[in-house]
mmCIF file of all heavy atoms in Angstrom:
data_model
loop_
_atom_site.group_PDB
_atom_site.id
_atom_site.type_symbol
_atom_site.label_atom_id
_atom_site.label_comp_id
_atom_site.label_asym_id
_atom_site.label_seq_id
_atom_site.Cartn_x
_atom_site.Cartn_y
_atom_site.Cartn_z
ATOM 1 N N GLY P 15 -27.280 3.381 -172.367
ATOM 2 C CA GLY P 15 -28.167 3.533 -173.574
ATOM 3 C C GLY P 15 -29.469 2.895 -173.325
ATOM 4 O O GLY P 15 -30.492 3.319 -173.919
ATOM 5 N N GLU P 16 -29.652 1.919 -172.379
ATOM 6 C CA GLU P 16 -30.888 1.256 -172.148
ATOM 7 C C GLU P 16 -31.840 2.236 -171.449
ATOM 8 O O GLU P 16 -33.049 2.299 -171.820
ATOM 9 C CB GLU P 16 -30.746 0.025 -171.361
ATOM 10 C CG GLU P 16 -29.934 -1.079 -172.019
ATOM 11 C CD GLU P 16 -30.691 -1.796 -173.116
ATOM 12 O OE1 GLU P 16 -31.928 -1.665 -173.171
ATOM 13 O OE2 GLU P 16 -30.052 -2.407 -174.072
ATOM 14 N N CYS P 17 -31.327 2.924 -170.441
ATOM 15 C CA CYS P 17 -32.186 3.779 -169.648
ATOM 16 C C CYS P 17 -31.988 5.251 -169.905
ATOM 17 O O CYS P 17 -32.622 6.158 -169.412
ATOM 18 C CB CYS P 17 -31.911 3.578 -168.177
ATOM 19 S SG CYS P 17 -32.064 1.829 -167.621
ATOM 20 N N ASP P 18 -31.067 5.580 -170.878
ATOM 21 C CA ASP P 18 -30.700 7.061 -171.177
ATOM 22 C C ASP P 18 -30.355 7.797 -169.979
ATOM 23 O O ASP P 18 -30.925 8.904 -169.710
ATOM 24 C CB ASP P 18 -31.901 7.644 -171.946
ATOM 25 C CG ASP P 18 -31.444 8.841 -172.680
ATOM 26 O OD1 ASP P 18 -30.264 8.929 -172.992
ATOM 27 O OD2 ASP P 18 -32.298 9.772 -172.928
ATOM 28 N N GLN P 19 -29.457 7.248 -169.196
ATOM 29 C CA GLN P 19 -29.047 7.969 -167.995
ATOM 30 C C GLN P 19 -27.491 8.367 -168.140
ATOM 31 O O GLN P 19 -26.727 7.602 -168.812
ATOM 32 C CB GLN P 19 -29.200 7.137 -166.727
ATOM 33 C CG GLN P 19 -30.673 6.817 -166.421
ATOM 34 C CD GLN P 19 -30.793 6.263 -164.979
ATOM 35 O OE1 GLN P 19 -31.294 6.961 -164.120
ATOM 36 N NE2 GLN P 19 -30.449 5.045 -164.864
ATOM 37 N N TYR P 20 -27.124 9.452 -167.495
ATOM 38 C CA TYR P 20 -25.775 9.958 -167.643
ATOM 39 C C TYR P 20 -25.087 10.042 -166.285
ATOM 40 O O TYR P 20 -25.734 10.268 -165.248
ATOM 41 C CB TYR P 20 -25.702 11.350 -168.275
ATOM 42 C CG TYR P 20 -26.293 11.303 -169.713
ATOM 43 C CD1 TYR P 20 -27.708 11.431 -169.902
ATOM 44 C CD2 TYR P 20 -25.418 11.270 -170.760
ATOM 45 C CE1 TYR P 20 -28.149 11.464 -171.185
ATOM 46 C CE2 TYR P 20 -25.949 11.338 -172.088
ATOM 47 C CZ TYR P 20 -27.326 11.424 -172.260
ATOM 48 O OH TYR P 20 -27.798 11.468 -173.602
ATOM 49 N N LEU P 21 -23.737 9.784 -166.327
ATOM 50 C CA LEU P 21 -22.917 10.044 -165.063
ATOM 51 C C LEU P 21 -21.626 10.711 -165.443
ATOM 52 O O LEU P 21 -20.989 10.464 -166.482
ATOM 53 C CB LEU P 21 -22.579 8.670 -164.498
ATOM 54 C CG LEU P 21 -23.596 7.748 -163.968
ATOM 55 C CD1 LEU P 21 -22.984 6.452 -163.443
ATOM 56 C CD2 LEU P 21 -24.365 8.461 -162.770
ATOM 57 N N HIS P 22 -21.291 11.850 -164.664
ATOM 58 C CA HIS P 22 -19.986 12.410 -164.852
ATOM 59 C C HIS P 22 -18.927 11.402 -164.538
ATOM 60 O O HIS P 22 -19.085 10.592 -163.604
ATOM 61 C CB HIS P 22 -19.809 13.603 -163.865
ATOM 62 C CG HIS P 22 -20.600 14.769 -164.209
ATOM 63 N ND1 HIS P 22 -21.433 15.455 -163.325
ATOM 64 C CD2 HIS P 22 -20.859 15.478 -165.472
ATOM 65 C CE1 HIS P 22 -22.052 16.460 -163.942
ATOM 66 N NE2 HIS P 22 -21.692 16.469 -165.150
ATOM 67 N N LYS P 23 -17.902 11.390 -165.199
ATOM 68 C CA LYS P 23 -16.777 10.357 -164.929
ATOM 69 C C LYS P 23 -16.155 10.623 -163.583
ATOM 70 O O LYS P 23 -15.718 9.714 -162.866
ATOM 71 C CB LYS P 23 -15.669 10.434 -166.055
ATOM 72 C CG LYS P 23 -14.857 11.630 -166.140
ATOM 73 C CD LYS P 23 -13.823 11.524 -167.190
ATOM 74 C CE LYS P 23 -12.866 12.693 -167.200
ATOM 75 N NZ LYS P 23 -12.155 12.917 -165.931
ATOM 76 N N ASP P 24 -16.085 11.925 -163.179
ATOM 77 C CA ASP P 24 -15.578 12.181 -161.828
ATOM 78 C C ASP P 24 -16.507 11.812 -160.732
ATOM 79 O O ASP P 24 -16.079 11.656 -159.569
ATOM 80 C CB ASP P 24 -15.205 13.719 -161.724
ATOM 81 C CG ASP P 24 -14.062 14.088 -162.676
ATOM 82 O OD1 ASP P 24 -13.247 13.146 -162.915
ATOM 83 O OD2 ASP P 24 -13.931 15.228 -163.098
ATOM 84 N N CYS P 25 -17.786 11.698 -161.006
ATOM 85 C CA CYS P 25 -18.761 11.225 -160.019
ATOM 86 C C CYS P 25 -18.702 9.741 -159.821
ATOM 87 O O CYS P 25 -18.815 9.235 -158.695
ATOM 88 C CB CYS P 25 -20.187 11.710 -160.335
ATOM 89 S SG CYS P 25 -20.435 13.497 -160.309
ATOM 90 N N ILE P 26 -18.604 9.027 -160.940
ATOM 91 C CA ILE P 26 -18.657 7.576 -160.860
ATOM 92 C C ILE P 26 -17.251 6.917 -160.626
ATOM 93 O O ILE P 26 -16.999 5.953 -159.949
ATOM 94 C CB ILE P 26 -19.218 6.907 -162.156
ATOM 95 C CG1 ILE P 26 -19.403 5.446 -161.930
ATOM 96 C CG2 ILE P 26 -18.365 7.284 -163.333
ATOM 97 C CD1 ILE P 26 -20.494 5.047 -160.925
ATOM 98 N N VAL P 27 -16.221 7.674 -161.049
ATOM 99 C CA VAL P 27 -14.801 7.293 -160.775
ATOM 100 C C VAL P 27 -14.053 8.461 -160.170
ATOM 101 O O VAL P 27 -13.292 9.209 -160.820
ATOM 102 C CB VAL P 27 -14.108 6.826 -162.049
ATOM 103 C CG1 VAL P 27 -12.728 6.259 -161.686
ATOM 104 C CG2 VAL P 27 -14.892 5.831 -162.817
ATOM 105 N N PRO P 28 -14.357 8.804 -158.972
ATOM 106 C CA PRO P 28 -13.862 10.032 -158.351
ATOM 107 C C PRO P 28 -12.313 10.024 -158.101
ATOM 108 O O PRO P 28 -11.734 8.982 -158.018
ATOM 109 C CB PRO P 28 -14.514 10.150 -156.927
ATOM 110 C CG PRO P 28 -14.907 8.690 -156.614
ATOM 111 C CD PRO P 28 -15.242 8.092 -157.895
ATOM 112 N N VAL P 29 -11.723 11.184 -158.215
ATOM 113 C CA VAL P 29 -10.257 11.333 -158.071
ATOM 114 C C VAL P 29 -9.983 11.683 -156.641
ATOM 115 O O VAL P 29 -10.394 12.736 -156.140
ATOM 116 C CB VAL P 29 -9.732 12.332 -159.059
ATOM 117 C CG1 VAL P 29 -8.207 12.499 -158.838
ATOM 118 C CG2 VAL P 29 -10.005 11.856 -160.511
ATOM 119 N N ASP P 30 -9.296 10.818 -155.898
ATOM 120 C CA ASP P 30 -8.802 11.181 -154.592
ATOM 121 C C ASP P 30 -7.407 11.513 -154.642
ATOM 122 O O ASP P 30 -6.496 10.618 -154.951
ATOM 123 C CB ASP P 30 -9.026 9.942 -153.594
ATOM 124 C CG ASP P 30 -8.645 10.247 -152.220
ATOM 125 O OD1 ASP P 30 -8.176 11.380 -151.928
ATOM 126 O OD2 ASP P 30 -8.697 9.297 -151.313
ATOM 127 N N GLN P 31 -7.035 12.670 -154.364
ATOM 128 C CA GLN P 31 -5.695 13.179 -154.518
ATOM 129 C C GLN P 31 -4.719 12.453 -153.551
ATOM 130 O O GLN P 31 -3.464 12.430 -153.803
ATOM 131 C CB GLN P 31 -5.538 14.677 -154.235
ATOM 132 C CG GLN P 31 -4.265 15.347 -154.812
ATOM 133 C CD GLN P 31 -4.299 16.752 -154.662
ATOM 134 O OE1 GLN P 31 -5.154 17.374 -153.971
ATOM 135 N NE2 GLN P 31 -3.373 17.499 -155.320
ATOM 136 N N PHE P 32 -5.285 11.813 -152.547
ATOM 137 C CA PHE P 32 -4.383 11.123 -151.528
ATOM 138 C C PHE P 32 -4.634 9.593 -151.561
ATOM 139 O O PHE P 32 -4.345 8.990 -150.529
ATOM 140 C CB PHE P 32 -4.631 11.729 -150.118
ATOM 141 C CG PHE P 32 -4.429 13.174 -150.110
ATOM 142 C CD1 PHE P 32 -5.531 14.026 -150.165
ATOM 143 C CD2 PHE P 32 -3.165 13.722 -150.013
ATOM 144 C CE1 PHE P 32 -5.373 15.450 -150.158
ATOM 145 C CE2 PHE P 32 -3.000 15.139 -150.057
ATOM 146 C CZ PHE P 32 -4.048 15.970 -150.054
ATOM 147 N N SER P 33 -5.213 9.100 -152.625
ATOM 148 C CA SER P 33 -5.487 7.695 -152.756
ATOM 149 C C SER P 33 -4.299 6.797 -152.661
ATOM 150 O O SER P 33 -4.368 5.579 -152.313
ATOM 151 C CB SER P 33 -6.325 7.382 -153.967
ATOM 152 O OG SER P 33 -5.589 7.723 -155.130
ATOM 153 N N ASN P 34 -3.095 7.281 -153.028
ATOM 154 C CA ASN P 34 -1.927 6.517 -153.006
ATOM 155 C C ASN P 34 -1.181 6.557 -151.634
ATOM 156 O O ASN P 34 -0.104 5.983 -151.544
ATOM 157 C CB ASN P 34 -0.923 6.935 -154.094
ATOM 158 C CG ASN P 34 -1.517 6.587 -155.487
ATOM 159 O OD1 ASN P 34 -2.346 5.672 -155.627
ATOM 160 N ND2 ASN P 34 -1.134 7.336 -156.529
ATOM 161 N N MET P 35 -1.759 7.338 -150.676
ATOM 162 C CA MET P 35 -1.074 7.403 -149.419
ATOM 163 C C MET P 35 -1.306 6.138 -148.667
ATOM 164 O O MET P 35 -2.490 5.685 -148.557
ATOM 165 C CB MET P 35 -1.544 8.606 -148.645
ATOM 166 C CG MET P 35 -1.118 9.978 -149.262
ATOM 167 S SD MET P 35 0.626 10.274 -149.006
ATOM 168 C CE MET P 35 0.840 10.196 -147.327
ATOM 169 N N ILE P 36 -0.313 5.524 -148.071
ATOM 170 C CA ILE P 36 -0.424 4.374 -147.270
ATOM 171 C C ILE P 36 -0.026 4.670 -145.804
ATOM 172 O O ILE P 36 1.082 5.094 -145.575
ATOM 173 C CB ILE P 36 0.431 3.167 -147.833
ATOM 174 C CG1 ILE P 36 0.118 2.922 -149.288
ATOM 175 C CG2 ILE P 36 0.316 1.967 -146.942
ATOM 176 C CD1 ILE P 36 -1.275 2.384 -149.466
ATOM 177 N N TYR P 37 -1.032 4.473 -144.970
ATOM 178 C CA TYR P 37 -0.777 4.799 -143.510
ATOM 179 C C TYR P 37 -0.620 3.451 -142.781
ATOM 180 O O TYR P 37 -1.503 2.769 -142.426
ATOM 181 C CB TYR P 37 -1.952 5.521 -142.934
ATOM 182 C CG TYR P 37 -2.176 6.876 -143.518
ATOM 183 C CD1 TYR P 37 -3.070 6.951 -144.617
ATOM 184 C CD2 TYR P 37 -1.546 7.938 -143.016
ATOM 185 C CE1 TYR P 37 -3.315 8.294 -145.255
ATOM 186 C CE2 TYR P 37 -1.777 9.208 -143.702
ATOM 187 C CZ TYR P 37 -2.614 9.347 -144.752
ATOM 188 O OH TYR P 37 -2.877 10.554 -145.373
ATOM 189 N N SER P 38 0.678 3.001 -142.627
ATOM 190 C CA SER P 38 0.916 1.800 -141.919
ATOM 191 C C SER P 38 0.868 1.975 -140.445
ATOM 192 O O SER P 38 0.705 3.090 -139.915
ATOM 193 C CB SER P 38 2.332 1.249 -142.363
ATOM 194 O OG SER P 38 3.306 2.136 -142.112
ATOM 195 N N ASN P 39 0.928 0.857 -139.660
ATOM 196 C CA ASN P 39 0.736 0.950 -138.212
ATOM 197 C C ASN P 39 1.717 1.776 -137.530
ATOM 198 O O ASN P 39 1.369 2.314 -136.454
ATOM 199 C CB ASN P 39 0.785 -0.533 -137.640
ATOM 200 C CG ASN P 39 -0.560 -1.243 -137.757
ATOM 201 O OD1 ASN P 39 -1.489 -0.741 -138.350
ATOM 202 N ND2 ASN P 39 -0.573 -2.501 -137.337
ATOM 203 N N ASN P 40 2.961 1.782 -138.047
ATOM 204 C CA ASN P 40 3.916 2.613 -137.273
ATOM 205 C C ASN P 40 3.717 4.095 -137.551
ATOM 206 O O ASN P 40 4.446 4.971 -136.933
ATOM 207 C CB ASN P 40 5.315 2.253 -137.797
ATOM 208 C CG ASN P 40 5.519 2.445 -139.307
ATOM 209 O OD1 ASN P 40 4.633 2.180 -140.036
ATOM 210 N ND2 ASN P 40 6.704 2.901 -139.748
ATOM 211 N N TRP P 41 2.714 4.513 -138.379
ATOM 212 C CA TRP P 41 2.446 5.939 -138.516
ATOM 213 C C TRP P 41 1.234 6.424 -137.571
ATOM 214 O O TRP P 41 1.186 7.584 -137.337
ATOM 215 C CB TRP P 41 2.056 6.169 -139.993
ATOM 216 C CG TRP P 41 3.213 6.330 -140.838
ATOM 217 C CD1 TRP P 41 4.471 5.992 -140.613
ATOM 218 C CD2 TRP P 41 3.249 6.927 -142.133
ATOM 219 N NE1 TRP P 41 5.316 6.280 -141.668
ATOM 220 C CE2 TRP P 41 4.507 6.835 -142.643
ATOM 221 C CE3 TRP P 41 2.280 7.518 -142.976
ATOM 222 C CZ2 TRP P 41 4.928 7.342 -143.875
ATOM 223 C CZ3 TRP P 41 2.613 7.958 -144.220
ATOM 224 C CH2 TRP P 41 3.993 7.869 -144.657
ATOM 225 N N ILE P 42 0.369 5.567 -137.136
ATOM 226 C CA ILE P 42 -0.681 5.835 -136.248
ATOM 227 C C ILE P 42 -1.518 7.004 -136.735
ATOM 228 O O ILE P 42 -1.425 8.157 -136.117
ATOM 229 C CB ILE P 42 -0.209 6.126 -134.817
ATOM 230 C CG1 ILE P 42 0.869 5.093 -134.393
ATOM 231 C CG2 ILE P 42 -1.313 6.083 -133.779
ATOM 232 C CD1 ILE P 42 1.439 5.360 -133.021
ATOM 233 N N PRO P 43 -2.263 6.865 -137.803
ATOM 234 C CA PRO P 43 -3.041 7.993 -138.347
ATOM 235 C C PRO P 43 -4.244 8.337 -137.428
ATOM 236 O O PRO P 43 -4.796 7.476 -136.778
ATOM 237 C CB PRO P 43 -3.545 7.480 -139.714
ATOM 238 C CG PRO P 43 -3.568 6.011 -139.501
ATOM 239 C CD PRO P 43 -2.517 5.639 -138.572
ATOM 240 N N ILE P 44 -4.574 9.620 -137.409
ATOM 241 C CA ILE P 44 -5.753 10.070 -136.659
ATOM 242 C C ILE P 44 -6.482 11.053 -137.597
ATOM 243 O O ILE P 44 -5.885 11.638 -138.487
ATOM 244 C CB ILE P 44 -5.430 10.704 -135.359
ATOM 245 C CG1 ILE P 44 -4.663 12.031 -135.548
ATOM 246 C CG2 ILE P 44 -4.614 9.800 -134.462
ATOM 247 C CD1 ILE P 44 -4.550 12.888 -134.333
ATOM 248 N N ASN P 45 -7.701 11.441 -137.234
ATOM 249 C CA ASN P 45 -8.546 12.360 -137.930
ATOM 250 C C ASN P 45 -8.733 13.656 -137.061
ATOM 251 O O ASN P 45 -8.809 13.452 -135.890
ATOM 252 C CB ASN P 45 -9.930 11.785 -138.314
ATOM 253 C CG ASN P 45 -9.771 10.719 -139.316
ATOM 254 O OD1 ASN P 45 -9.004 10.716 -140.239
ATOM 255 N ND2 ASN P 45 -10.562 9.615 -139.082
ATOM 256 N N SER P 46 -8.696 14.754 -137.766
ATOM 257 C CA SER P 46 -8.807 16.041 -137.094
ATOM 258 C C SER P 46 -9.896 16.916 -137.749
ATOM 259 O O SER P 46 -9.862 16.956 -138.975
ATOM 260 C CB SER P 46 -7.434 16.794 -136.942
ATOM 261 O OG SER P 46 -7.647 18.113 -136.400
ATOM 262 N N ARG P 47 -10.685 17.594 -136.959
ATOM 263 C CA ARG P 47 -11.599 18.536 -137.588
ATOM 264 C C ARG P 47 -10.969 19.805 -138.134
ATOM 265 O O ARG P 47 -11.583 20.526 -138.926
ATOM 266 C CB ARG P 47 -12.659 18.945 -136.540
ATOM 267 C CG ARG P 47 -13.614 17.743 -136.063
ATOM 268 C CD ARG P 47 -14.742 18.339 -135.214
ATOM 269 N NE ARG P 47 -14.286 19.125 -134.043
ATOM 270 C CZ ARG P 47 -14.088 18.547 -132.915
ATOM 271 N NH1 ARG P 47 -14.144 17.223 -132.656
ATOM 272 N NH2 ARG P 47 -13.638 19.317 -131.810
ATOM 273 N N LYS P 48 -9.710 20.015 -137.725
ATOM 274 C CA LYS P 48 -9.000 21.172 -138.139
ATOM 275 C C LYS P 48 -8.323 21.000 -139.514
ATOM 276 O O LYS P 48 -7.714 21.964 -140.065
ATOM 277 C CB LYS P 48 -7.972 21.608 -137.134
ATOM 278 C CG LYS P 48 -8.542 21.981 -135.775
ATOM 279 C CD LYS P 48 -9.524 23.156 -135.860
ATOM 280 C CE LYS P 48 -10.112 23.524 -134.554
ATOM 281 N NZ LYS P 48 -11.089 24.585 -134.651
ATOM 282 N N HIS P 49 -8.268 19.811 -140.015
ATOM 283 C CA HIS P 49 -7.516 19.519 -141.251
ATOM 284 C C HIS P 49 -8.319 18.361 -142.014
ATOM 285 O O HIS P 49 -8.761 17.375 -141.404
ATOM 286 C CB HIS P 49 -6.154 19.108 -140.956
ATOM 287 C CG HIS P 49 -5.235 19.107 -142.231
ATOM 288 N ND1 HIS P 49 -4.941 20.200 -142.948
ATOM 289 C CD2 HIS P 49 -4.706 18.076 -142.896
ATOM 290 C CE1 HIS P 49 -4.133 19.921 -143.926
ATOM 291 N NE2 HIS P 49 -4.013 18.677 -143.944
ATOM 292 N N PRO P 50 -8.483 18.478 -143.344
ATOM 293 C CA PRO P 50 -9.274 17.443 -144.115
ATOM 294 C C PRO P 50 -8.537 16.111 -144.262
ATOM 295 O O PRO P 50 -9.160 15.151 -144.584
ATOM 296 C CB PRO P 50 -9.459 18.175 -145.421
ATOM 297 C CG PRO P 50 -8.320 19.126 -145.568
ATOM 298 C CD PRO P 50 -8.019 19.628 -144.267
ATOM 299 N N HIS P 51 -7.246 15.987 -144.039
ATOM 300 C CA HIS P 51 -6.522 14.772 -144.284
ATOM 301 C C HIS P 51 -6.090 14.173 -142.967
ATOM 302 O O HIS P 51 -6.119 14.726 -141.881
ATOM 303 C CB HIS P 51 -5.200 15.113 -145.062
ATOM 304 C CG HIS P 51 -5.450 15.878 -146.331
ATOM 305 N ND1 HIS P 51 -4.666 16.870 -146.684
ATOM 306 C CD2 HIS P 51 -6.480 15.859 -147.249
ATOM 307 C CE1 HIS P 51 -5.123 17.416 -147.840
ATOM 308 N NE2 HIS P 51 -6.211 16.843 -148.133
ATOM 309 N N ARG P 52 -5.682 12.877 -143.055
ATOM 310 C CA ARG P 52 -5.272 12.174 -141.901
ATOM 311 C C ARG P 52 -3.926 12.583 -141.450
ATOM 312 O O ARG P 52 -3.063 12.888 -142.181
ATOM 313 C CB ARG P 52 -5.256 10.667 -142.165
ATOM 314 C CG ARG P 52 -6.615 10.120 -142.703
ATOM 315 C CD ARG P 52 -6.476 8.669 -143.048
ATOM 316 N NE ARG P 52 -6.559 7.785 -141.861
ATOM 317 C CZ ARG P 52 -6.424 6.415 -141.863
ATOM 318 N NH1 ARG P 52 -6.124 5.906 -143.095
ATOM 319 N NH2 ARG P 52 -6.522 5.698 -140.873
ATOM 320 N N LEU P 53 -3.744 12.659 -140.128
ATOM 321 C CA LEU P 53 -2.467 13.062 -139.405
ATOM 322 C C LEU P 53 -1.842 11.811 -138.917
ATOM 323 O O LEU P 53 -2.427 10.924 -138.395
ATOM 324 C CB LEU P 53 -2.721 14.100 -138.412
ATOM 325 C CG LEU P 53 -3.524 15.333 -138.851
ATOM 326 C CD1 LEU P 53 -3.732 16.246 -137.593
ATOM 327 C CD2 LEU P 53 -2.944 16.028 -139.925
ATOM 328 N N ILE P 54 -0.450 11.773 -138.973
ATOM 329 C CA ILE P 54 0.281 10.746 -138.414
ATOM 330 C C ILE P 54 1.230 11.258 -137.318
ATOM 331 O O ILE P 54 1.621 12.373 -137.205
ATOM 332 C CB ILE P 54 1.185 10.077 -139.477
ATOM 333 C CG1 ILE P 54 2.202 11.044 -140.086
ATOM 334 C CG2 ILE P 54 0.288 9.451 -140.664
ATOM 335 C CD1 ILE P 54 3.271 10.403 -141.042
ATOM 336 N N ARG P 55 1.506 10.272 -136.425
ATOM 337 C CA ARG P 55 2.384 10.613 -135.266
ATOM 338 C C ARG P 55 3.854 10.619 -135.637
ATOM 339 O O ARG P 55 4.306 9.664 -136.304
ATOM 340 C CB ARG P 55 2.134 9.543 -134.150
ATOM 341 C CG ARG P 55 2.987 9.806 -132.938
ATOM 342 C CD ARG P 55 2.416 10.943 -132.150
ATOM 343 N NE ARG P 55 3.112 11.128 -130.845
ATOM 344 C CZ ARG P 55 2.934 12.136 -129.986
ATOM 345 N NH1 ARG P 55 2.058 13.127 -130.324
ATOM 346 N NH2 ARG P 55 3.602 12.229 -128.864
ATOM 347 N N VAL P 56 4.532 11.684 -135.428
ATOM 348 C CA VAL P 56 5.929 11.821 -135.774
ATOM 349 C C VAL P 56 6.815 12.266 -134.569
ATOM 350 O O VAL P 56 6.215 12.712 -133.544
ATOM 351 C CB VAL P 56 6.183 12.834 -136.974
ATOM 352 C CG1 VAL P 56 5.522 12.276 -138.219
ATOM 353 C CG2 VAL P 56 5.571 14.189 -136.558
#
């Protein structure tokens, strides 16, 4: 209200669909250009 500026709630508090994923050491995550998410060794 002081500066009359606006923010989308999804811009200031973005939703990450994979924010609850936990990659522990025994999973050994890596990044790949072929896929947007982290990959784990299985």
